[in-house]
Amino acid sequence: MQSIQWFPGHMHRTRRQLAELLPKADAVIEVLDARLPQASRNPLLHQLRGPKPCVVVLNKSDLADPEVTQAWVTHWKAHDLEVLPLVATDAKVSRRVLQAARALVPPRNFRLRPLVLLIAGIPNVGKSTLLNSLAGRKVSLAADKAAITRAPKRIHLDEETTLYDTPGVLWPKLEDQHDALLLAASGAIRETALDLWTVAVGAAALLHQYYPERLRARYGIAGDGPPEEFLWNVGKRRGCLRAGGVVDAEKAAQVLLGDLRSGKLGRISLQKPPA
Ligand code: G4P
């Protein structure tokens, strides 16, 4: 398979910002994609966070396979991590993040000294959406454009809670091409930086492994052959054709990736915890 690469964004600036902000925070809210929890963990945050209390949010859990999400919760709880499956678009449920974070911090009068939280996560994982839900107003633009970099923001959520929002960036190099595939398939990597056909072929192979019946149900194609052939047939069926009736590979890739990202293939998890 062709290697998946992207333009990483401002890593040095992010490292500096995180290193500056972490000491000011009582706890970290690490937002992961419930469909690919391990692949969406930023190793930089992991390195810099140290023993600072952390709530691991498995966001977009409405798009993930509930059984697999539960398996991740069990897995990380066994490693003493506070894990919370979440749907950030649901404002009521989102407040649970604040309760979970507060429970990790030694009690004090938060009106006198507000709880300070830092929120971090890769692009497109739902940080802005979560912030908007927590604040009850629009505090930053929620847009489906990965790798938009922003300066950190300080937001007063209420009289007891302040939150630092850090820009979502991807790390510069992914040795693990499988993780790269999961990130690309989920939409975390800006599409202009990607070869969509390569990503869609990889996604088709994974979907055949985990959820073959969903592919059959949606596209009416058995897909027992190579994933390239499957994708080609999806393109044909969906009328993704160029002049002369040749399948437009990029459009066919967009059909599969669009269906996967929007939940049209049902609730899907692309990564399971280690056995
Ligand atoms: P970011 O700040 O981390 O980059 O992510 P952002 O909040 O912009 O969210 C990226 C996309 O993910 C948005 O969709 C947002 O609505 C969607 N999203 C966030 N949380 C959830 C969730 O828990 N479940 C689901 N299903 N989607 C979620 P969008 O298409 O860009 O915008 P729109 O649909 O809100 O118009």
Side-chain angles (χ1 to χ4, degrees), residues 4-12 14-15 18 30-33 36-47 120-123 147 167-177 179-180 182-184 188-189:
I4 296 170
Q5 315 220 8
W6 62 86
F7 308 112
H10 305 278
M11 275 310 283
H12 292 300
T14 306
R15 177 183 279 275
L18 277 175
E30 183 181 10
V31 188
L32 305 182
D33 189 323
L36 44 142
Q38 186 63 47
S40 56
R41 286 204 102 177
N42 186 342
L44 185 62
L45 181 67
H46 218 41
Q47 259 171 40
I122 60 168
V169 288
L170 279 173
W171 39 103
K173 194 170 145 229
L174 262 185
E175 269 126 51
D176 189 332
Q177 275 290 303
D179 279 3
L182 301 188
L183 287 164
I189 302 174

Side-chain angles (χ1 to χ4, degrees), residues 177-256:
Q177 275 290 303
H178 187 69
D179 279 3
L181 167 65
L182 301 188
L183 287 164
S186 76
I189 302 174
R190 190 167 30 183
E191 291 210 333
T192 49
L194 288 173
D195 173 35
L196 280 192
W197 176 258
T198 304
V199 176
V201 166
L206 263 181
L207 289 167
H208 275 303
Q209 187 185 341
Y210 291 146
Y211 303 97
E213 72 293 348
R214 307 275 184 92
L215 291 180
R216 257 195 304 278
R218 180 138 186 98
Y219 304 113
I221 304 168
D224 300 328
E228 289 86 352
E229 188 185 302
F230 168 80
L231 208 51
W232 204 253
N233 287 330
V234 168
K236 251 197 232 162
R237 291 230 165 174
R238 290 299 170 91
C240 309
L241 302 175
R242 285 192 273 137
V246 182
V247 170
D248 182 326
E250 187 159 322
K251 281 207 181 121
Q254 272 164 352
V255 166
L256 182 76

Side-chain angles (χ1 to χ4, degrees), residues 59-60 62-63 87-89 122-129 142-144:
N59 194 39
K60 304 197 183 184
D62 55 323
L63 298 176
V87 180
T89 39
I122 60 168
N124 215 32
V125 76
K127 290 179 305 302
S128 311
T129 309
D144 190 17

Side-chain angles (χ1 to χ4, degrees), residues 91-160:
K92 258 196 226 147
V93 174
S94 295
R95 302 291 299 177
R96 286 191 203 144
V97 176
L98 298 182
Q99 287 153 15
R102 194 191 270 218
L104 297 177
V105 174
R108 65 170 187 255
N109 185 337
F110 291 108
R111 285 186 183 238
L112 286 180
R113 196 153 69 84
L115 178 71
V116 181
L117 302 173
L118 183 146
I119 187 166
I122 60 168
N124 215 32
V125 76
K127 290 179 305 302
S128 311
T129 309
L130 180 57
L131 274 175
N132 292 341
S133 285
L134 291 177
R137 61 186 192 276
K138 196 150 186 142
V139 285
S140 49
L141 281 180
D144 190 17
K145 274 213 186 91
I148 289 180
T149 48
R150 297 173 271 130
K153 270 191 189 163
R154 187 162 189 242
I155 298 149
H156 292 284
L157 285 185
D158 54 44
E159 51 202 2
E160 300 192 355

